[in-house]
Amino acid sequence: HHDSNLPAGKLAIIRLLDKDMKPTGAEHIVFDTVGAGQGEVVLYTSGSSARMTDATWEKPIDGTIVAVVEEVTRHGKPVFKK
């Protein structure tokens, strides 16, 4: 059973990464709007911005995955590539 105010979909546990793409240990439970797979690097938003997608508009959501990350560069050098 879930609250009818919640959007249909899945929740995911994400781990935050530091600037070197290493896990910080901090975890968040977020709503997944893009169908991210386990172990993928994702971009997420929180707070009122998390409620700005079609799936989460005016829903009681505080964190939302909005993209799967393909590549990260830092100072012009690749740090991560899918």
Side-chain angles (χ1 to χ4, degrees):
H1 175 71
H2 75 76
D3 186 325
S4 62
N5 289 323
L6 289 174
K10 72 174 184 173
L11 296 174
I13 299 172
I14 60 169
R15 295 187 331 175
L16 301 186
L17 303 175
D18 66 14
K19 64 183 180 179
D20 297 314
M21 303 298 291
K22 305 288 185 222
T24 66
E27 294 181 332
H28 294 278
I29 298 173
V30 297
F31 186 76
D32 183 1
T33 63
V34 298
Q38 185 174 349
E40 289 194 286
V41 175
V42 298
L43 179 65
Y44 89 104
T45 186
S46 61
S48 62
S49 296
R51 295 181 289 280
M52 296 296 197
T53 72
D54 289 340
T56 61
W57 186 255
E58 295 185 350
K59 301 291 184 183
I61 297 293
D62 194 47
T64 302
I65 295 172
V66 293
V68 174
V69 175
E70 299 287 329
E71 184 176 4
V72 175
T73 58
R74 185 169 163 230
H75 304 295
K77 296 180 182 173
V79 176
F80 168 81
K81 187 165 180 123
K82 185 173 175 181

